Amino acid sequence: MKLKNLMAAVVIGLSLGPALAAADNNMGSMSGMDSKESTGPVQSRGVITAINTEKRKVTLKHEPIPALNWPSMTMGFSVAPEVMLDGLSKDDAVAFTLTPAGKGQQVTSISKQ
């Protein structure tokens, strides 16, 4: 019986490997969630919970985004090179635009509210 359980665990692990690898290290990805495909920009509002201007990353606690079928949550996003982050800091209320980039979404505009 133990051998059967071990074999089942190995088979499950092997079948999940590619999916886990694809989800690894993808800022803005909604792997595992029922996310709608977005072909264009989507606007939302939220609060900055972390910001790294050197790495061009921002973590936002955002309201629901119906266009993407996303509930309210906190998640990190990459920020497009042309977006100015000067004057933004943790706890700022912001309006932002997400645009599809790679396998996820990228912040293509952000401003204080």
Side-chain angles (χ1 to χ4, degrees):
M1 189 61 152
K2 289 182 183 180
L3 181 58
K4 224 182 226 183
N5 291 340
L6 176 61
M7 292 301 291
V10 168
V11 169
I12 291 170
L14 289 174
S15 66
L16 290 176
L20 294 175
D24 187 37
N25 229 359
N26 187 13
M27 293 283 291
S29 174
M30 292 301 300
S31 299
M33 294 199 67
D34 183 23
S35 177
K36 293 181 183 177
E37 290 292 318
S38 173
T39 58
V42 176
Q43 277 114 31
S44 189
R45 296 174 192 255
V47 175
I48 297 173
T49 62
I51 189 167
N52 185 327
T53 55
E54 289 177 17
K55 292 187 178 180
R56 305 208 47 83
K57 306 285 184 190
V58 64
T59 303
L60 298 166
K61 180 177 181 182
H62 63 75
E63 59 189 29
I65 304 176
L68 296 173
N69 199 30
W70 289 359
S72 296
M73 67 181 125
T74 302
M75 62 186 299
F77 297 96
S78 62
V79 179
E82 67 275 6
V83 175
M84 300 299 291
L85 296 174
D86 298 342
L88 295 175
S89 58
K90 184 178 179 207
D91 298 323
D92 283 345
V94 293
F96 61 94
T97 303
L98 297 175
T99 302
K103 294 181 182 179
Q105 299 285 328
Q106 182 178 56
V107 173
T108 53
S109 75
I110 188 166
S111 60
K112 283 187 188 182
Q113 292 296 290

